[in-house]
Amino acid sequence: MNFFAEQDHARRNSKWLILLFVIAVIILIGLSNILIAACLWMFDSTSELNLPDNRSFFSADILVFVSLVMTSVIICAIAFKWFQLKDGGRRIAESLGGQRIPPNSQHPEQQQILNVVEEMALASGMPVPSVYLLKDEIGINAFAAGHTPADAVIGITQGALEQLNREQLQGVVAHEFSHILNGDMRLNVRLIALLSGIVFIANLGEFILHTQRYSHRSSSRSNNNDARVAAAGFGLLALGWIGLFFANMIKAAISRQREYLADASAVQFTRNPNGIADALKIIGGYDAGSGLRTPLSQETSHMFIGDARRLGSFFATHPAIKSRIKRILPRWDGALIKRDIKKVAKPIYSKTSQQQAKKQRQEQLKKTVFVAAAAEAAINALDNKSDKAEFTLSENTVTVSGELAHLPDGLLSLAHDPCGVISVVYALLLSNYEAQRAKQLDDIKDNLSKSSRIEETLQAWNWINSVDKSYRLPLLELSFPALKCMSAKQYQRFMDNLRSLIKADQQVDMYEWCLYHLVKHYLSHQFEKVTHSKPVYSSIPALSEPFSVVLSSLAYFGHDNDTETQRAFGIGANSIGLYTITLLPLEQCQVEHFGPAVKKLANAYPQIKQRILRALVACVCLDKQLTVLENEMIRCIAAVMDCPGPQISLGVRRP
């Protein structure tokens, strides 16, 4: 699956969305003018108004005025909705009634979905997103929401946790990860914002009718204006219904094919068609189906894996369940899996059961990373048949995610604890020199007892120091859900401490830059005002300068002698078609040059980003060995560019 091509396709769909939206608005403005003319005619039917004889209910002044008012109302409604959604996936999940599942949850069902999300994140080359549970929803459904992978969340209903087994949950979560990687997630958020402007007209009509009804009941007499106001309210309500018609039609036109694509991607991720197919069979045979009770299910219906609202086939945002299953399993016999609604709440788990669940979770996490490694290998094997073969140059694969199973259980538990995870990140920055390490620890400021924080950080450092450096980045990626549980004040103190730890030796090396910017990129959207990267550069030559800086940096940091450095740079430059650029001097490839260059590359179009990442991978793959720092730099570059990290199948050379 070429996710970059699909992101470009999603971007083109955004243009179609805007075009369809403009057409719908023009039609609504025309109908609004007809409505206003009808209202003026009704007002003119009484003697209370003395309009001139040469009046025209369709005059240019009225037409312009009504058009401006309608356009302003729609724009204001869109702006308000966009402001509500500016916090990304977290805000959408909470508005639907979702509650964040703690990363260290002891509930077996919640542990299972957390583990499944972790394995899919590792397999797809992106950090682990937070998981939100819609605990009051008995329908089987799930969604992915956010503007970028950095603020993405996965949401799932209680019904899905109760009715689906691990294999089926893998299929559902893989389906949602496809929406993240294909660019559908951002398109879905734009759909919510744009269509809210159209639907707002219906809400305005309902408000007028409600106000008029209340005014009529509270008044001892009525007058002719009541009928006119009611007529205006009904007119706006009718316009809103027409707007809702267009909104449903636009959602259906854009989202149906994306659902087929996400189903196919789920099969590719898991290498198991039965997972997603059986989940769809259960939805089809389940009494509650995939329906949701939340009032916002109407405007967010296109985001879910199944139909959140039961609409006619013409307006359905998803293809028919049977049609989707048939595409996954062409020889399917048509039988659905029947399930009953679990109406009785499950009993509280005993202390013994909780202890067993904790042990099972630690064992399951180890299994998780092996499944992720298998998924990576399967995807790479499939990619060998496509145009991305340079990502898998060797079968001697050492996947860091697979090696995570060898991390100490205490370190993994600490990485999932919302309080202890801070110590893990601090430990990743501690120096190997005792005097320098003591100075770093002394600079840490924390609300927790300082001695307790230092002790916990040193324990984490000892665990990390006992294993290979290649575990650092995957450990950090597993830590993000717990880090997102911080408050704004804790986040500010945490980032201040990170800067103090990094600057303790009065210099910033490439590893420290990568770690800091990964943390900032995946956490800042929740606590700061963030400006997302936008596609600006559509050609490679326009990015030759920042690309030269990044490529030169990779060539220097990944190769030992001048000849190999020059060859690596040349291979990367030639593979992207920049034959005239030259290797920059080492002093122009330091962190202060590297950072701004990467951020500029983030403003390229998706297909350009793909070519850039391929060229960078070609550079580091020259010697068919991957250093830990090269891997960290590539993953950090991909993260800042809002791209999945490329899975490079090479032997890892320890520095």
Side-chain angles (χ1 to χ4, degrees):
M1 186 67 63
N2 190 328
F3 294 114
F4 296 94
E6 293 306 327
Q7 287 175 22
D8 261 345
H9 187 256
R11 182 178 55 81
R12 289 192 296 271
N13 275 346
S14 295
K15 294 181 179 179
W16 280 108
L17 164 63
I18 294 173
L19 177 61
L20 292 173
F21 173 77
V22 170
I23 293 173
V25 169
I26 291 173
I27 293 174
L28 287 177
I29 288 175
L31 293 175
S32 299
N33 278 280
I34 295 175
L35 172 64
I36 294 298
C39 289
L40 288 176
W41 178 81
M42 289 181 62
F43 275 92
D44 187 44
S45 64
T46 70
S47 59
E48 296 179 11
L49 291 177
N50 294 315
L51 296 176
D53 293 335
N54 61 347
R55 63 194 177 277
S56 173
F57 299 134
F58 289 99
S59 66
D61 291 342
I62 294 177
L63 180 65
V64 171
F65 177 76
V66 172
S67 300
L68 287 176
V69 169
M70 286 294 296
T71 303
S72 300
V73 167
I74 292 174
I75 290 175
C76 289
I78 293 172
F80 179 73
K81 177 60 70 172
W82 190 257
F83 177 79
Q84 287 183 318
L85 301 177
K86 68 182 178 64
D87 291 335
R90 175 174 62 94
R91 181 66 64 197
I92 295 173
E94 290 173 351
S95 68
L96 290 169
Q99 297 180 1
R100 193 202 316 254
I101 300 178
N104 58 346
S105 172
Q106 299 301 307
H107 195 294
E109 289 176 347
Q110 295 178 6
Q111 290 172 14
Q112 180 169 256
I113 186 62
L114 289 173
N115 290 335
V116 169
V117 171
E118 283 178 351
E119 72 184 42
M120 287 301 148
L122 291 171
S124 60
M126 60 175 286
V128 182
S130 299
V131 182
Y132 281 77
L133 175 63
L134 279 62
K135 65 177 184 178
D136 295 327
E137 299 290 354
I138 59 175
I140 300 174
N141 228 321
F143 66 91
H147 297 289
T148 66
D151 65 7
V153 303
I154 298 293
I156 194 160
T157 62
Q158 182 65 37
L161 292 190
E162 292 176 348
Q163 300 293 343
L164 303 182
N165 62 27
R166 180 179 176 80
E167 183 182 70
Q168 293 151 5
L169 284 174
Q170 284 178 331
V172 169
V173 171
H175 175 103
E176 298 307 329
F177 266 84
S178 169
H179 284 310
I180 297 175
L181 298 173
N182 287 336
D184 300 334
M185 187 176 62
R186 177 181 289 185
L187 177 63
N188 288 338
V189 174
R190 290 175 178 172
L191 265 173
I192 294 174
L194 283 178
L195 299 184
S196 66
I198 298 177
V199 177
F200 176 75
I201 299 173
N203 298 334
L204 185 61
E206 290 179 357
F207 173 76
I208 291 175
L209 287 175
H210 176 76
T211 303
Q212 190 273 338
R213 190 183 304 116
Y214 177 79
S215 175
H216 177 72
R217 289 177 180 176
S218 61
S219 177
S220 59
R221 61 185 181 87
S222 63
N223 51 50
N224 292 333
N225 287 334
D226 290 339
R228 300 186 191 105
V229 172
F234 276 117
L236 287 174
L237 190 60
L239 284 177
W241 286 338
I242 295 172
L244 190 60
F245 168 85
F246 285 117
N248 288 329
M249 187 173 65
I250 291 172
K251 285 195 290 186
I254 289 178
S255 65
R256 287 183 187 177
Q257 290 302 316
R258 309 303 291 178
E259 291 302 315
Y260 282 130
L261 174 65
D263 289 341
S265 298
V267 175
Q268 179 181 340
F269 267 123
T270 61
R271 310 306 296 165
N272 178 17
N274 291 322
I276 182 66
D278 285 350
L280 293 174
K281 290 177 188 177
I282 292 174
I283 291 175
Y286 182 47
D287 292 343
S290 56
L292 299 180
R293 294 179 289 184
T294 174
L296 293 178
S297 60
Q298 174 64 44
E299 63 179 342
T300 58
S301 59
H302 57 288
M303 295 174 53
F304 290 87
I305 190 173
D307 276 320
R309 306 281 288 186
R310 296 185 182 276
L311 299 173
S313 58
F314 182 77
F315 294 113
T317 54
H318 294 64
I321 287 288
K322 292 185 177 181
S323 175
R324 293 170 66 181
I325 299 173
K326 200 71 176 176
R327 286 207 179 190
I328 300 169
L329 302 175
R331 297 186 178 182
W332 176 52
D333 60 5
L336 299 173
I337 301 176
K338 298 294 183 180
R339 292 288 172 85
D340 297 324
I341 298 174
K342 295 184 178 180
K343 297 181 180 179
V344 181
K346 292 190 173 182
I348 298 175
Y349 291 94
S350 64
K351 186 175 292 186
T352 303
S353 298
Q354 291 179 354
Q355 292 173 349
Q356 292 175 348
K358 183 177 181 181
K359 183 177 180 181
Q360 181 184 13
R361 182 174 185 271
Q362 293 174 347
E363 293 299 321
Q364 189 60 58
L365 180 60
K366 294 183 177 182
K367 295 178 183 178
T368 288
V369 293
F370 284 118
V371 174
E376 289 177 4
I379 293 172
N380 286 333
L382 186 65
D383 287 343
N384 274 333
K385 301 176 183 178
S386 68
D387 58 351
K388 296 196 288 183
E390 66 267 26
F391 281 74
T392 54
L393 293 179
S394 171
E395 294 182 0
N396 183 23
T397 305
V398 181
T399 55
V400 176
S401 58
E403 293 178 349
L404 270 178
H406 301 294
L407 285 174
D409 290 339
L411 182 59
L412 289 174
S413 297
L414 206 59
H416 289 87
D417 181 70
C419 183
V421 69
I422 295 174
S423 299
V424 174
V425 182
Y426 290 164
L428 287 169
L429 287 169
L430 288 184
S431 172
N432 289 325
Y433 299 102
E434 186 174 353
Q436 187 67 37
R437 187 166 63 251
K439 183 179 184 305
Q440 288 177 306
L441 292 171
D442 187 58
D443 289 339
I444 291 177
K445 298 177 177 61
D446 201 278
N447 275 347
L448 189 68
S449 168
K450 185 163 184 175
S451 59
S452 299
R453 177 65 71 192
I454 290 176
E455 181 181 351
E456 194 174 60
T457 302
L458 282 174
Q459 177 62 69
W461 179 79
N462 286 326
W463 279 327
I464 293 171
N465 219 34
S466 67
V467 296
D468 193 84
K469 289 183 178 180
S470 57
Y471 303 136
R472 297 182 304 193
L473 184 59
L475 179 63
L476 178 65
E477 292 174 339
L478 283 175
S479 302
F480 284 125
L483 288 171
K484 290 178 181 178
C485 295
M486 290 188 292
S487 66
K489 186 175 291 186
Q490 287 174 323
Y491 167 77
Q492 192 60 53
R493 186 181 297 107
F494 170 71
M495 297 303 292
D496 289 342
N497 284 333
L498 287 189
R499 286 187 285 268
S500 297
L501 291 170
I502 290 172
K503 295 178 180 178
D505 59 355
Q506 304 301 316
Q507 60 182 359
V508 181
D509 62 31
M510 189 60 71
Y511 163 69
E512 291 171 333
W513 185 92
C514 289
L515 185 144
Y516 178 81
H517 279 82
L518 277 172
V519 171
K520 187 172 179 63
H521 184 74
Y522 285 105
L523 296 185
S524 59
H525 65 88
Q526 187 165 322
F527 304 103
E528 304 175 21
K529 185 178 180 180
V530 177
T531 302
H532 299 292
S533 60
K534 296 180 179 179
V536 176
Y537 302 103
S538 58
S539 66
I540 295 295
L543 292 167
S544 59
E545 183 178 342
F547 178 76
S548 297
V549 174
V550 175
L551 185 62
S552 297
S553 301
L554 272 174
Y556 279 119
F557 283 102
H559 301 88
D560 298 328
N561 57 66
D562 294 342
T563 302
E564 285 192 352
T565 300
Q566 189 67 54
R567 284 185 60 209
F569 179 88
I571 287 176
N574 292 341
S575 66
I576 204 172
L578 294 175
Y579 304 106
T580 59
I581 61 174
T582 57
L583 180 69
L584 298 176
L586 181 59
E587 55 269 19
Q588 296 181 23
C589 302
Q590 302 306 308
V591 170
E592 59 268 24
H593 308 101
F594 180 81
V598 172
K599 292 178 181 179
K600 191 170 183 179
L601 294 180
N603 292 319
Y605 278 81
Q607 291 281 38
I608 301 299
K609 290 180 181 180
Q610 181 187 31
R611 294 182 62 188
I612 290 171
L613 286 176
R614 284 184 178 180
L616 298 180
V617 169
C619 171
V620 301
C621 289
L622 172 66
D623 54 5
K624 295 191 177 181
Q625 288 185 318
L626 183 68
T627 67
V628 174
L629 183 58
E630 282 177 327
N631 182 54
E632 291 169 344
M633 290 174 69
I634 289 287
R635 293 296 289 271
C636 184
I637 292 168
V640 174
M641 294 171 66
D642 285 319
C643 297
Q647 307 293 345
I648 309 172
S649 295
L650 292 174
V652 177
R653 173 164 56 91
R654 280 27 176 190

